[in-house]
C-alpha cells in the first residue's frame, strides 16, 4: 500500500473515488444508469435504497467484481477498469459482501489469514503469531469477544460478519465497502462496530456503507445517497434531513407527513360559525372555513372536537349561536337534513361507527346517495352502481368484489368505503373525525391522499384529530380547542407541535 499512500499525499483534496456515468445492464435488464459520484478521502457515505435498487451491483463495479457496461471508474486519480477483484484489492479497495464467505471448517484465525498465513523460519505456520495478530485484528473492529481459536462455522451470523469486517479492515484499505454489515449484529456489536467506523474515518479511510437502518446511517455518515431504480435520486447530509425525506427518496412517493399546499385556494367562505354552543361541551366558537380548505380541529380528549362536528352535522343540539353554509342559514336537526344541505360526516375510524355491518361493500358505499335519490333526485340503479364501482376503485379499496360483507375487509379498507360513501353523497363539506384512527400506515397514507384530492376538487374538509403529525401533514389552518373553547386559529407558518399543544392546554392552566 506504500504506493497508494504516496499518491494520496500528492493530492490530498482530490476525491479518492469517482464514478462517471456508470451504466450496467444484464442482458436486456438495465440495472444502473448514468451513476455519477465522488467520494472524498475519509468520507463515510451511506448508500441507501430499496431491495433491487442496484446498490450491490454498483459496489461490485467499484470493487472490480463486475465490468460496467458504460462510463468509467476513477480511483486515486487513475482511470481504471478493474479486471479483477485482486486488482481492486491491490489498489486499496476492500469489500465486505452481503453474502458471508467465511470458511466454516476453519478457525477464526485461519479465516483472518486465509492465503497468507505467517510462517516461522522453518516454514511452518506460526500459530502463536497468528493468534495474537488475530486478537488485535478483531479488537480493532470492536469484536474482542470472539476467540480466534474457535471454528468459524460455530459463530453466530453476526460474529461471522465481524470476522469478515476484521479481515477487510486489516488490509488497511483506502476504501472500505460494507454491504449491509450490521444486518445481523446485536445492538452492542453495532455500537462497537460504529466506533470502528468513526476511527477509520479519522484515519482517512473512505467508507461506503450500505444499510437498511436509517437511524444508523444518519448517525454515522457524512452523506446519504439514495439509489432508486439504478439512479442516484438524492445526495443529502444527515443534518437537516429527516427519515421521512429519505424514505420518500427511496420509495419515490411523497412523504406521508409532508404537507402540500392547496393549488386552488379560495376566499369564499363555505361554513361560517358564530358564537356556537351546545348545552355542556362547547361554547363561544366562531370560525370562517373557506371552500376547498382542509381545516383542522385539534384538542386534547374532551376538548369538544367531536361535539362541534356533531352540531355541524345535526347530530347534536345547538343551544346558542348560528351557522351559515355557503351563505345560507345552516341549522340541521338531523344528519339526514345536513346531508341534504351537503354536509357529510365520516365518524371516527377505529370504531368503524360509520359502517352498516350487516351489508355489502357496495351497499355501504352507496347508502347516502340512495337516500338522496329517495329525496327526489332520480338516479338509475345502473348509473349508481357504476359510480360506486368507480369510486371504490379510485380509493383503491382492497376487496374480492363489492358484494362481499363490509365486515370482511380490513379496518383501513372499511374506512375507505365510508369515505367513498361520503364522496358519493355529493356533499360540499366533509367532516372527518379521527379519519385514520386504528388504520395501518399504508391505508393512512392512502386516506391522506384521498383527503388532499377531495380538497383539490373543491370540497371543503374539516379534520378533527388528536394526532399532531396528522394535523400538520394535512391542514391549511387549524382551530385549537381547549375545554370546549376556541383557544386560537393557527396558520400554516405557526403550526409547530409545541405551539399547538400549549394552546390545547391553555384553558386548563387558566383554572389553576
Ligand atoms: N448477475 C445478474 N444478472 C441479472 N440480473 C442481476 C444480476 N445481479 C443483479 N441483478 C439485478 O439487478 C437489480 C439490482 O440488484 P442489486 O444490485 O443486488 O440490488 P440491491 O443491492 O440494491 O438490492 C436487481 O433487479 C437484480 O435482480
Ligand atoms: Mg444488495
Amino acid at each position: 500500500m506504500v504506493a497508494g499512500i504516496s499518491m494520496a499525499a500528492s493530492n490530498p483534496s482530490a476525491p479518492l473515488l469517482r464514478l462517471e456515468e456508470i451504466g450496467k445492464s444484464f442482458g436486456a435488464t438495465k440495472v444502473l444508469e448514468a451513476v455519477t459520484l465522488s467520494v472524498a478521502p475519509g468520507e463515510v457515505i451511506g448508500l441507501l435504497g430499496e431491495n433491487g435498487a442496484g446498490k450491490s451491483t454498483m459496489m461490485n463495479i467499484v470493487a472490480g467484481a463486475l465490468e460496467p457496461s458504460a462510463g468509467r471508474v476513477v480511483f486515486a486519480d487513475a482511470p481504471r477498469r478493474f479486471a479483477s477483484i485482486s486488482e481492486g484489492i491491490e489498489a486499496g479497495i476492500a469489500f465486505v459482501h452481503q453474502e458471508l464467505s467465511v470458511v466454516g471448517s476453519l478457525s477464526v484465525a485461519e479465516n483472518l489469514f486465509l492465503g497468507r498465513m505467517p510462517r516461522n523460519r522453518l516454514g511452518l505456520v506460526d500459530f502463536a503469531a497468528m493468534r495474537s495478530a488475530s486478537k488485535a485484528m478483531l479488537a480493532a473492529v470492536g469484536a474482542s469477544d470472539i476467540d480466534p481459536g474457535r471454528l468459524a462455522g460455530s459463530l453466530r451470523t453476526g460474529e461471522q460478519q465481524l470476522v469478515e469486517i476484521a479481515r477487510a479492515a486489516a488490509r488497511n484499505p483506502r476504501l472500505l465497502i460494507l454491504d449491509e454489515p450490521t444486518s445481523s449484529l446485536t445492538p452492542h456489536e453495532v455500537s462497537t462496530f460504529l466506533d470502528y467506523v468513526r476511527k477509520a474515518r479519522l484515519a482517512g479511510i473512505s467508507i461506503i456503507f450500505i444499510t437498511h437502518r436509517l437511524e444508523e446511517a444518519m448517525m454515522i455518515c457524512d452523506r446519504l445517497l439514495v439509489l432508486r431504480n439504478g439512479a442516484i435520486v438524492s445526495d443529502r447530509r444527515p443534518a437537516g434531513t429527516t427519515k421521512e425525506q429519505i424514505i420518500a427518496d427511496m420509495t419515490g412517493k411523497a412523504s406521508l407527513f409532508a404537507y402540500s399546499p392547496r393549488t386552488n385556494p379560495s376566499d369564499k367562505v363555505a361554513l361560517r360559525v358564530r358564537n356556537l354552543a351546545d348545552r355542556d361541551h362547547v361554547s363561544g366558537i366562531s370560525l370562517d372555513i373557506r371552500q376547498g380548505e382542509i381545516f383542522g380541529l385539534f384538542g386534547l380528549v374532551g376538548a369538544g372536537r367531536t361535539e362541534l362536528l356533531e352540531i355541524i352535522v345535526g347530530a347534536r343540539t345547538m343551544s346558542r349561536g348560528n351557522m351559515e353554509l355557503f351563505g345560507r342559514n345552516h341549522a340541521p336537526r338531523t344528519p339526514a337534513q345536513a346531508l341534504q344541505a351537503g354536509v357529510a360526516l365520516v365518524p371516527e375510524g377505529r370504531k368503524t361507527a360509520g359502517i352498516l355491518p350487516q351489508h355489502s361493500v357496495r351497499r355501504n358505499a352507496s347508502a347516502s346517495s340512495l337516500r338522496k335519490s329517495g329525496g327526489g333526485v332520480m338516479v338509475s340503479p345502473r348509473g349508481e352502481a357504476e359510480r360506486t364501482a368507480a369510486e371504490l376503485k379510485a380509493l383503491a379499496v382492497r376487496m374480492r368484489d363489492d358484494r362481499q360483507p363490509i365486515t370482511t375487509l380490513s379496518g383501513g379498507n372499511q374506512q375507505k368505503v365510508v369515505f367513498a360513501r361520503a364522496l358519493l353523497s355529493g356533499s360540499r363539506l366533509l367532516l372527518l373525525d379521527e379519519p385514520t384512527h386504528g388504520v395501518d400506515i399504508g391505508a393512512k397514507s392512502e386516506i391522506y391522499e384521498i383527503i388532499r384530492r377531495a380538497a383539490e376538487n373543491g370540497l371543503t374538509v374539516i379534520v378533527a384529530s388528536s394526532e399532531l403529525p396528522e394535523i400538520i401533514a394535512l391542514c391549511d389552518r387549524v382551530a385549537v380547542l381547549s375545554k370546549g373553547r376556541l383557544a386560537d386559529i393557527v396558520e400554516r407558518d405557526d403550526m409547530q407541535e409545541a405551539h399547538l399543544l400549549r394552546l390545547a392546554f391553555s384553558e386548563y392552566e387558566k383554572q389553576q
Side-chain angles (χ1 to χ4, degrees):
M1 273 331 90
V2 174
I5 288 163
S6 68
M7 267 198 286
S10 67
N11 192 356
S13 62
L16 177 67
L17 171 71
R18 229 166 54 230
L19 302 189
E20 295 174 356
E21 305 274 322
I22 291 288
K24 180 69 186 174
S25 299
F26 294 106
T29 318
K30 210 179 251 180
V31 172
L32 293 176
E33 196 165 11
V35 170
T36 293
L37 155 75
S38 298
V39 181
E43 199 171 28
V44 179
I45 305 277
L47 184 57
L48 309 166
E50 292 190 318
N51 285 329
K55 306 180 296 290
S56 295
T57 302
M58 183 172 147
M59 289 304 105
N60 276 313
I61 289 171
V62 171
L66 280 176
E67 287 261 350
S69 320
R72 59 178 200 157
V73 177
V74 180
F75 189 76
D77 284 336
R80 55 184 18 151
R81 250 170 215 252
F82 297 119
S84 68
I85 301 173
S86 58
E87 268 185 43
I89 292 172
E90 205 52 47
I93 298 176
F95 188 0
V96 178
H97 289 266
Q98 201 168 359
E99 305 78 26
L100 292 172
S101 63
V102 295
V103 183
S105 57
L106 296 179
S107 72
V108 169
E110 285 165 329
N111 268 283
L112 288 170
F113 282 92
L114 212 57
R116 52 192 186 107
M117 307 230 186
R119 295 187 184 261
N120 61 19
R121 276 173 299 156
L122 302 174
L124 300 172
V125 175
D126 186 344
F127 284 103
M130 223 167 95
R131 190 178 165 78
S132 64
S134 295
K135 283 195 149 178
M137 285 160 74
L138 290 164
V141 297
S144 25
D145 288 348
I146 300 175
D147 177 355
R150 266 181 74 183
L151 214 55
S154 74
L155 300 176
R156 281 186 298 108
T157 312
E159 291 171 321
Q160 295 187 8
Q161 226 164 7
L162 287 170
V163 170
E164 295 209 11
I165 293 167
R167 183 167 61 194
R171 293 204 194 104
N172 282 320
R174 303 178 66 191
L175 173 66
L176 179 59
I177 303 169
L178 302 163
D179 198 347
E180 299 193 31
T182 59
S183 53
S184 3
L185 300 188
T186 64
H188 174 71
E189 286 168 343
V190 168
S191 86
T192 51
F193 165 73
L194 293 182
D195 286 342
Y196 160 71
V197 171
R198 290 190 190 95
K199 270 189 291 177
R201 177 176 178 276
L202 288 178
I205 299 176
S206 305
I207 294 176
I208 300 177
F209 183 27
I210 299 177
T211 183
H212 282 295
R213 299 186 178 182
L214 293 188
E215 290 90 354
E216 218 169 85
M218 299 186 82
M219 203 159 67
I220 199 82
C221 297
D222 300 304
R223 274 160 68 202
L224 302 171
L225 294 178
V226 175
L227 200 61
R228 187 172 81 229
N229 294 333
I232 292 179
V233 293
S234 72
D235 181 346
R236 301 174 184 271
R237 301 208 169 259
T241 297
T242 63
K243 251 173 77 174
E244 280 72 30
Q245 285 172 314
I246 298 286
I247 292 169
D249 293 343
M250 284 169 56
T251 60
K253 296 188 188 125
S255 163
L256 177 56
F257 292 111
Y259 169 77
S260 51
R262 303 280 78 72
T263 55
N264 55 351
S266 159
D267 288 338
K268 195 159 151 194
V269 174
L271 180 72
R272 170 160 299 166
V273 174
R274 284 293 174 274
N275 203 25
L276 196 73
D278 70 346
R279 217 168 303 140
D280 40 12
H281 284 87
V282 291
S283 64
I285 309 280
S286 295
L287 302 167
D288 284 330
I289 297 170
R290 300 181 199 121
Q291 186 190 355
E293 181 170 47
I294 302 180
F295 189 90
L297 287 182
F298 176 69
L300 306 173
V301 174
R305 287 169 289 150
T306 298
E307 288 76 8
L308 180 54
L309 293 183
E310 286 174 351
I311 298 172
I312 300 170
V313 81
R316 172 174 289 268
T317 310
M318 158 167 63
S319 60
R320 196 189 268 229
N322 62 74
M323 294 186 281
E324 272 179 21
L325 185 69
F326 293 100
R328 293 172 63 172
N329 185 44
H330 180 69
R333 268 169 311 199
T334 63
Q337 281 183 8
L339 193 62
Q340 288 295 331
V343 181
L345 170 71
V346 175
E348 190 171 330
R350 182 182 44 182
K351 296 178 190 150
T352 56
I355 66 163
L356 307 169
Q358 65 279 34
H359 287 290
S360 68
V361 170
R362 183 194 292 182
R363 185 65 205 282
N364 266 278
S366 57
S368 297
S369 22
L370 286 176
R371 212 176 303 164
K372 194 170 177 185
S373 57
V377 187
M378 291 300 289
V379 187
S380 74
R382 166 176 283 216
E384 190 55 52
E386 276 168 10
R387 278 199 334 129
T388 305
E391 193 65 57
L392 291 170
K393 192 163 173 231
L395 302 192
V397 174
R398 272 176 278 287
M399 56 182 176
R400 237 181 316 107
D401 69 83
D402 66 1
R403 261 174 270 201
Q404 77 187 90
I406 188 161
T407 48
T408 58
L409 302 187
S410 72
N413 281 296
Q414 292 186 15
Q415 183 69 343
K416 284 197 273 177
V417 174
V418 178
F419 263 88
R421 180 201 305 167
L423 295 171
L424 284 165
S425 71
S427 296
R428 295 183 290 174
L429 174 61
L430 204 54
L431 310 182
L432 309 176
D433 195 2
E434 299 283 7
T436 66
H437 220 139
V439 310
D440 66 47
I441 191 95
K444 192 171 203 160
S445 114
E446 289 173 354
I447 288 171
Y448 286 0
E449 274 321 299
I450 293 167
I451 296 171
R452 290 179 182 128
R453 219 176 325 141
E456 284 301 317
N457 291 334
L459 235 70
T460 306
V461 185
I462 303 181
V463 181
S465 177
S466 53
E467 286 181 42
L468 279 172
E470 176 159 293
I471 291 278
I472 294 172
L474 283 175
C475 300
D476 305 313
R477 290 186 302 151
V478 56
V480 182
L481 300 182
S482 185
K483 273 198 159 179
R485 298 187 162 272
L486 180 63
D488 202 0
I489 296 171
V490 180
E491 300 284 332
R492 215 32 248 172
D493 288 347
D494 300 320
M495 262 188 226
Q496 287 93 31
E497 294 203 7
H499 180 53
L500 298 178
L501 267 178
R502 222 174 294 127
L503 288 170
F505 278 108
S506 56
E507 287 294 325
Y508 296 82
E509 277 154 16
K510 276 183 197 166
Q511 264 199 345
Q512 283 155 11

